[in-house]
Structures are given as structure tokens and as C-alpha cells.
């Protein structure tokens, strides 16, 4: 998969650097039954995400990454439903 990140925000303070952006890549997985691909067209998916780096001695000491893969599933036409007992998922319509 070819992947790149378009950085929309970057903030640095003390030993931490935060980025927010959109990963862009091509889907090359198994065919999806509910999803039609035109001949020769590889779909592009956009993954909103955030990354936090901790810098240690001028190098990356730790990395935390948060990506919205539910949005990717939505883009690929895959239905996602959550059990009603999950109150932590606010605003996501089944």
C-alpha cells in the first residue's frame, strides 16, 4: 500500500510533538462483496488521524497514533453497527 500523510496541524511543546492530519492510501485488499470496483481503478481511502511523538535525546522515544478506521470502513461501503449498550460511542448512527 502506498501511504502518505497530509499534515494539517503540528504543535510542539517541551519533549512532545503533536500532528493532526489525513493519511491517504490505496486499498489493495480482498474484494468486498457489497463494493464494486471499476476496471483498473484502485480506490483511495482517507484516514483522519493524530500522532504524538515524545522526543528523547533528539530522537523519537515513543509514538502514539490514533486513526479513524471506522471512517475507512464507511468509505469502503462496509456497514458498521454497535451494540446499544456501548454508551461511549456517541453520535455514531447505526
Amino acid at each position: 500500500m502506498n501511504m502518505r500523510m497530509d499534515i494539517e496541524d503540528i504543535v510542539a511543546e517541551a519533549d512532545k510533538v503533536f500532528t493532526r492530519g489525513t493519511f491517504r492510501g490505496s486499498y489493495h485488499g480482498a474484494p468486498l462483496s457489497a463494493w464494486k470496483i471499476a476496471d483498473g481503478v484502485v480506490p483511495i481511502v482517507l484516514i483522519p488521524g493524530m500522532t504524538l511523538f515524545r522526543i528523547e535525546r533528539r530522537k523519537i522515544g515513543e509514538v502514539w497514533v490514533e486513526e479513524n478506521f471506522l471512517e475507512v470502513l464507511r468509505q469502503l461501503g462496509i456497514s458498521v453497527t454497535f451494540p446499544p449498550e456501548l454508551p461511549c460511542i456517541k453520535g455514531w448512527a447505526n
Side-chain angles (χ1 to χ4, degrees):
M1 173 184 281
N2 290 338
M3 177 85 59
R4 75 173 220 213
M5 181 179 186
D6 297 324
I7 296 177
E8 293 147 19
D9 290 302
I10 185 167
V11 178
E13 185 174 313
D15 65 342
K16 304 233 176 25
V17 177
F18 169 84
T19 63
R20 181 185 69 84
T22 303
F23 294 94
R24 177 184 311 266
S26 304
Y27 179 78
H28 294 280
L32 304 169
S33 59
W35 186 54
K36 305 286 189 260
I37 301 175
D39 288 337
V41 175
V42 176
I44 303 294
V45 292
L46 303 175
I47 309 168
M50 297 177 275
T51 307
L52 180 63
F53 300 93
R54 187 180 56 76
I55 307 301
E56 172 181 292
R57 292 187 209 98
R58 300 178 66 172
K59 295 183 180 181
I60 297 172
E62 290 180 81
V63 178
W64 296 273
V65 177
E66 181 68 32
E67 297 167 332
N68 186 345
F69 281 103
L70 292 175
E71 179 58 29
V72 173
L73 295 174
R74 219 180 214 179
Q75 291 172 40
L76 295 174
I78 299 171
S79 175
V80 177
T81 58
F82 294 99
E85 63 272 7
L86 285 179
C88 61
I89 310 292
K90 300 278 186 214
W92 185 272
N94 280 333

